[in-house]
Amino acid sequence: MEKITSRLSTNMNPSSDKQSEPERHASPLGGGYPPAESSSIRMEVVDDQIFSMSDIDPILDAKMRLVNQTMDEIGWTNFHLKLFFLNGFGYAADSLILALQAVTASQAALEFSPSFAYALNVSVYTGMLVGVLFWGLGADVIGRRFAFNVSIFCSSIFAIIAGASPNWIVLATFVGLAAFFAGGNLVLDTTVFLEFLPGNKQWLITLMACWWGLAYVIVAAFCWPIFSTPSLTCAVSDGCIKKNNMGWRYVWYGNGALVLICSILRVTVIRLTETPKYLLTKNQDAAVVEVFQNLANKYQRPCSLTIEGLQSLGTIESTYGKARYGLGEFWAHIRGLFATKQLGISTIMIWASWTLIGLAYPLFYVFLPDYLATRGAQTGQSGPYYQWRNYMLSSIAGVFGPVAAGFMCNLKPLGRKYTMAIGAIVTMAFFFAYTAVRTSAENVGFSCAISFSLNIYYGTLYAYTPESLPSAHRATGNGIGVACNRVMGLVSSFVAAYGNTSSSVPIYAVVAVMLPFEPYGKRAM
C-alpha cells in the first residue's frame, strides 16, 4: 500500500523531488495525498470521499481518487450543461410514460371496455420493472453509452405506436414496451451525469429531478385542451368508438413525438463517450485519459492525468466476474454492493427506501386525475376543465420540489439525509390533511403542496442512490432499487382496484435518517 501511495504522489507531480518535504506529496490536482511512509491509503480518504474501498481493492480506490481529482481539475464546462439538459430528457421520458398511461387509461377503457381497468398500470410498471433490471445490469456489463443512446429512442417509437392500438391488449403491450425502455433509461441518466461531474456540482443530481416533474406539466398541457374538447372524448362507453374518441390517441402521438425529438438531440448534440469511471473499472486506462484530455482540450482546461500515472498504480481486479457475460458477472456486481459491512447496510436501506416510497408515490401521482375529479365533484368544481386545470397546477408545483431539495441538500445542517426526512414528514402532514378537503381552493392547494413536498423526497433519493454506490456496480444497485419501487407500483394497481388509496404513512422518513452515508461535501466513488 505504501508503494501505491508513493506512486500516486510522484506520478501526478514529476517535480516532487525538487520540493520541500512538506509539499513533496501534494498533488497538483488538489486534495493532498499522504507521504509514502503512510501505513495505508485509507488515511487519505476519509474526509473527502463518501466511503473508502481501500480495504477491498486499494488499486481501485487510488485510481478512483485520481479520476475524481482530474474531474475537479477540469471543472464545470458546457459539456456538463448539455448533459444536464439531455439527461434530463431521460428523466422526463420515464415519468412521461407513467403519466401518459394514467391520464389516457380511462378514455381508452371507455372505448375498449376491458375486464380489468387497471391493466395499463400493471403493464407500465411491469415494463419498467423488467427494463430497469435489464438496463441497470447491462450498463455495468456492456457500458453506459449504448444503453443511454438506444433506450429513450426505442421508448418514443413504442409510445407513438401505442396511440394507434386497435384494442386493450395491444395498447397494454406497447405501453409495457415503451415503459421497458424508458424505465431502463432512468437508471442511466443519474449514473452518466454523476460519472462526469466535478465534486462541487454533485448537488445537481438532486436538481435534475425537476425534469421528472416537468414531464407531468407537459402531459397536462396536452390533456387540458384535448380532454376539454367534447368531440375528442367520450363521456360514456355506449357508442364510444375510435372516431369520436381520438383525444387519448393524440396525447400518445404528441408526447411520443416529443420524446423522439429529444432522443435524436441526445445522439446529435452530446455525442456521448463512455463514462471515465466505467472505463476505469474495466482497466481501460488509456481510454480514461483520452476522455479527459479531449474534454480538457475542447474547453481549454488543465488536465494533469497521464496514462503512465494510472498504469503505474496497478491493475484493478475486484470489478470482474469469472464469466464476463454470464451469472458470474452478475454476482460480481451484487457482491460489490456488499463489499463492506457499512456499504451493505447502506445498499439494503436504499432499496428499502425505494420500496416504501414505491407505494405512496403512484397512489398519489398515477391516480391524481381521479383524486382531483372526485374532490372537484365534492367541492362543486367538476368537469374536465377544472380537473385538468388542477392537474396542471399540481404538476407545476411538483417541478419546484427538486429545486428546493437541491438547495436544501447543499446546506451543511441538512445534507441529503435530513432533506429526505423533511420531505417525507411534510408530505405525511399534507396527505392526512388532503382527506379533509371541503372546498375547491383546498383541493388545489393541498394537491400542489403534496406534489411539491413529495418531490423533495423523491428528487433527493434519486440523487442519493447513485452517489452512495460504488461506480463499478452503480447501475446494478440503482436498478435494483428502482425495481423495488416498480414492484410496489404494481401493488398500487391492486390497492387502487380493491383497497383504499386515501393516504400513506411515510415510514421512509425514519429510514432516510438512518442511512449510514451522508454525501454532502464528499465525492462519489
Side-chain angles (χ1 to χ4, degrees):
M1 289 187 183
E2 295 94 336
K3 196 173 184 180
I4 294 172
T5 308
S6 177
R7 285 173 177 170
L8 189 57
S9 301
T10 56
N11 280 310
M12 292 306 299
N13 191 354
S15 62
S16 60
D17 58 336
K18 298 179 181 179
Q19 295 176 331
S20 61
E21 186 64 27
E23 299 175 332
R24 178 178 300 173
H25 302 282
S27 165
L29 295 182
Y33 290 91
E37 302 84 55
S38 171
S39 61
S40 172
I41 296 179
R42 190 173 37 190
M43 294 175 63
E44 338 172 329
V45 194
V46 201
D47 291 330
D48 63 346
Q49 303 289 147
I50 295 175
F51 56 85
S52 171
M53 296 294 288
S54 59
D55 289 336
I56 307 302
D57 189 336
I59 295 174
L60 169 64
D61 193 78
K63 284 189 171 184
M64 195 63 71
R65 296 177 194 286
L66 203 56
V67 165
N68 278 340
Q69 290 193 3
T70 303
M71 290 161 67
D72 290 343
E73 181 187 30
I74 293 174
W76 177 263
T77 67
N78 283 340
F79 171 77
H80 298 94
L81 184 62
K82 292 176 183 177
L83 274 183
F84 178 80
F85 282 94
L86 297 175
N87 285 38
F89 291 162
Y91 252 49
D94 179 90
S95 57
L96 198 74
I97 300 300
L98 277 175
L100 284 176
Q101 70 81 24
V103 300
T104 60
S106 59
Q107 282 297 313
L110 289 175
E111 182 177 331
F112 298 133
S113 300
S115 57
F116 182 56
Y118 291 107
L120 292 191
N121 199 55
V122 172
S123 177
V124 79
Y125 275 103
T126 301
M128 287 188 167
L129 170 61
V130 178
V132 81
L133 290 173
F134 177 85
W135 293 106
L137 177 60
D140 280 339
V141 176
I142 64 174
R144 284 68 158 124
R145 183 172 178 266
F146 175 78
F148 181 85
N149 288 334
V150 168
S151 57
I152 192 174
F153 174 79
C154 293
S155 179
S156 67
I157 298 300
F158 287 119
I160 293 172
I161 295 174
S165 299
N167 57 59
W168 189 250
I169 294 175
V170 172
L171 176 59
T173 300
F174 284 112
V175 167
L177 288 169
F180 170 81
F181 289 100
N185 180 81
L186 182 66
V187 174
L188 298 167
D189 292 318
T190 51
T191 298
V192 169
F193 193 39
L194 178 62
E195 294 186 358
F196 278 104
L197 271 182
N200 64 349
K201 293 293 189 296
Q202 277 185 195
W203 63 273
L204 287 171
I205 298 290
T206 301
L207 179 63
M208 196 169 72
C210 68
W211 288 91
W212 174 275
L214 183 61
Y216 287 94
V217 176
I218 294 170
V219 171
F222 275 87
C223 291
W224 191 357
I226 289 176
F227 288 157
S228 297
T229 305
S231 61
L232 296 177
T233 59
C234 293
V236 293
S237 58
D238 290 342
C240 186
I241 58 175
K242 180 178 179 180
K243 184 178 180 180
N244 59 7
N245 193 37
M246 287 295 295
W248 69 269
R249 297 178 186 273
Y250 291 151
V251 172
W252 275 102
Y253 292 150
N255 284 274
L258 182 61
V259 176
L260 177 61
I261 293 171
C262 293
S263 69
I264 294 172
L265 289 176
R266 293 220 314 190
V267 176
T268 56
V269 173
I270 201 69
R271 297 182 182 275
L272 183 74
T273 59
E274 190 54 81
T275 67
K277 289 189 175 182
Y278 173 81
L279 294 171
L280 184 74
T281 62
K282 300 305 179 186
N283 280 310
Q284 299 181 39
D285 293 343
V288 173
V289 175
E290 183 181 4
V291 169
F292 283 129
Q293 291 288 356
N294 289 341
L295 190 62
N297 291 335
K298 182 175 182 178
Y299 294 101
Q300 300 181 340
R301 301 295 176 85
C303 179
S304 305
L305 186 66
T306 64
I307 297 174
E308 295 77 15
L310 276 178
Q311 291 180 341
S312 66
L313 296 175
T315 301
I316 297 170
E317 298 179 353
S318 65
T319 58
Y320 285 97
K322 293 181 180 180
R324 178 69 190 277
Y325 298 105
L327 286 177
E329 181 76 1
F330 172 74
W331 286 116
H333 290 301
I334 296 296
R335 287 196 305 270
L337 297 169
F338 297 88
T340 66
K341 180 179 179 180
Q342 194 176 31
L343 182 59
I345 292 172
S346 175
T347 298
I348 291 295
M349 295 186 73
I350 286 172
W351 291 349
S353 296
W354 279 105
T355 302
L356 292 169
I357 190 65
L359 186 60
Y361 195 89
L363 283 180
F364 177 73
Y365 258 108
V366 174
F367 303 108
L368 183 56
D370 296 335
Y371 284 150
L372 293 172
T374 302
R375 298 294 181 187
Q378 292 176 357
T379 60
Q381 277 194 330
S382 59
Y385 175 85
Y386 293 108
Q387 177 187 355
W388 296 108
R389 182 204 65 180
N390 294 349
Y391 186 81
M392 169 69 85
L393 292 173
S394 62
S395 298
I396 291 173
V399 174
F400 293 97
V403 176
F407 174 76
M408 292 166 63
C409 74
N410 215 32
L411 296 176
K412 188 173 183 179
L414 298 178
R416 273 57 157 176
K417 295 196 298 183
Y418 288 102
T419 297
M420 282 192 281
I422 290 171
I425 292 169
V426 173
T427 300
M428 175 188 67
F430 285 127
F431 262 137
F432 284 121
Y434 194 49
T435 62
V437 162
R438 294 293 180 270
T439 69
S440 59
E442 289 173 351
N443 183 28
V444 176
F446 280 112
S447 64
C448 289
I450 292 171
S451 182
F452 175 80
S453 59
L454 188 56
N455 275 298
I456 289 178
Y457 181 91
Y458 227 115
T460 311
L461 181 61
Y462 266 116
Y464 182 92
T465 301
E467 280 186 301
S468 301
L469 296 172
S471 178
H473 321 293
R474 179 170 287 136
T476 298
N478 198 357
I480 292 174
V482 179
C484 292
N485 180 273
R486 303 315 189 198
V487 169
M488 297 307 289
L490 281 171
V491 173
S492 74
S493 302
F494 299 97
V495 172
Y498 307 113
N500 178 18
T501 63
S502 60
S503 64
S504 300
V505 179
I507 303 170
Y508 45 88
V510 178
V511 177
V513 175
M514 294 174 63
L515 287 163
F517 298 130
E518 174 49 67
Y520 170 80
K522 298 182 180 181
R523 290 305 310 264
M525 286 295 287

